[in-house]
Amino acid sequence: MRESLSRANMKRNWFTITSLVSRDFKLKYRRSVLGVLWSVLNPLLMMCVMVFVFSSIFRFSVENYPLYVVLGNVLFSFMSDSTNTAMYSIIDSSSLIKKIRIEKLIFPLEKVLFQLVNFCISLIAVAIVMAFEHVAPHASLLALPLLLLYVLLFSAGIGMALSAMAVFFRDVCHLWSVFVTAWTYATPLFYPVEIIPEWAAPIMQWNPMYHYVTYFRDIALHGYMPGLQENLLCFFGALAVFMVGFAIFRKTEKKFILYV
């Protein structure tokens, strides 16, 4: 009996998540002439700007630089957009939370899954740049689902923690925006890793997005399959962040209704 109720709850929650993803997708591209094409055009336009600035003005010399940039940009955007939208998910759903009894965890997780859909669409931009740079797809791209799992867990963990903290401390929303901006420059998205000062190299190893971006470039640009050690590092790091975020959310969710 209890097992059947649990399955029914899971089905209901999954239906709610998919419905919310569909709603967000329609809302994002409503009244837009190009619609879903913006998920492809946005990373391409950002890549063009970065390539012009950093290859022409700062003169970074990186092989297949446009592809190098777009790979880092789309993956980092997946994380930053996921965490930013998840952070506001409980606050923005306050009217619904006050009216009906609903699993609150659905809201931050739905935002992360929605951004995953956007990321998958933006892979079209990656494919276009690969064709332009004459970089053939490698068998190592079969590891992409693993990478997506790592970043999904990582982003969901941060998103759950932020969504809970933002309910009680609205300043979190402003601080996170500043932090993500700093994180963007602290991750080699548009500059080569080689220019990092020697003293900063060990610190970079503690940057999870450095590992995820490097993983993406390895499988898509260099045709290199990351080893077991790198996969374990990425997985357990993401799992640890997910578990911490989940614990923070569960510990505080009963008080949400008093503050939203």
Side-chain angles (χ1 to χ4, degrees), residues 30 34 40 69 73 81 94 107 119 147 152 156 181 186 198 238 252:
R30 185 177 60 182
L34 295 177
V40 178
V69 168
N73 188 43
D81 291 345
S94 58
F107 297 108
F119 173 81
L147 174 62
L152 187 69
T181 301
E198 194 172 324
T252 57

Side-chain angles (χ1 to χ4, degrees), residues 31-185:
R31 297 177 183 173
S32 171
V33 176
L34 295 177
V36 72
L37 282 176
W38 278 115
S39 291
V40 178
L41 287 174
N42 188 57
L44 287 176
L45 293 173
M46 287 296 295
M47 179 207 69
C48 290
V49 172
M50 288 183 176
V51 167
F52 171 75
V53 172
F54 292 101
S55 64
S56 300
I57 299 176
F58 290 95
R59 299 187 182 278
F60 289 152
S61 180
V62 178
E63 188 178 3
N64 302 120
Y65 186 62
L67 183 57
Y68 180 90
V69 168
V70 78
L71 289 171
N73 188 43
V74 296
L75 193 67
F76 196 92
S77 294
F78 172 32
M79 183 280 299
S80 61
D81 291 345
S82 296
T83 54
N84 190 59
T85 53
M87 178 172 59
Y88 289 98
S89 61
I90 299 298
I91 297 172
D92 290 344
S93 305
S94 58
S95 58
L96 188 60
I97 291 172
K98 290 176 180 178
K99 288 178 182 177
I100 62 173
R101 186 180 180 86
I102 189 170
E103 174 60 71
K104 301 175 185 66
L105 192 63
I106 284 174
F107 297 108
L109 292 182
E110 179 272 326
K111 296 299 182 184
V112 178
L113 288 174
F114 172 66
Q115 295 302 333
L116 175 62
V117 173
N118 274 332
F119 173 81
C120 291
I121 297 172
S122 70
L123 289 177
I124 298 173
V126 173
I128 292 171
V129 179
M130 288 180 72
F132 180 79
E133 290 289 302
H134 304 291
V135 176
H138 304 283
S140 53
L141 277 171
L142 293 173
L144 181 58
L146 277 178
L147 174 62
L148 293 184
L149 173 63
Y150 305 151
V151 182
L152 187 69
L153 287 172
F154 181 73
S155 301
I158 295 178
M160 288 186 290
L162 288 173
S163 65
M165 291 188 290
V167 170
F168 306 103
F169 309 103
R170 296 296 198 273
D171 293 342
V172 168
C173 301
H174 304 289
L175 291 172
W176 183 248
S177 177
V178 175
F179 182 81
V180 168
T181 301
W183 199 354
T184 301
Y185 290 104

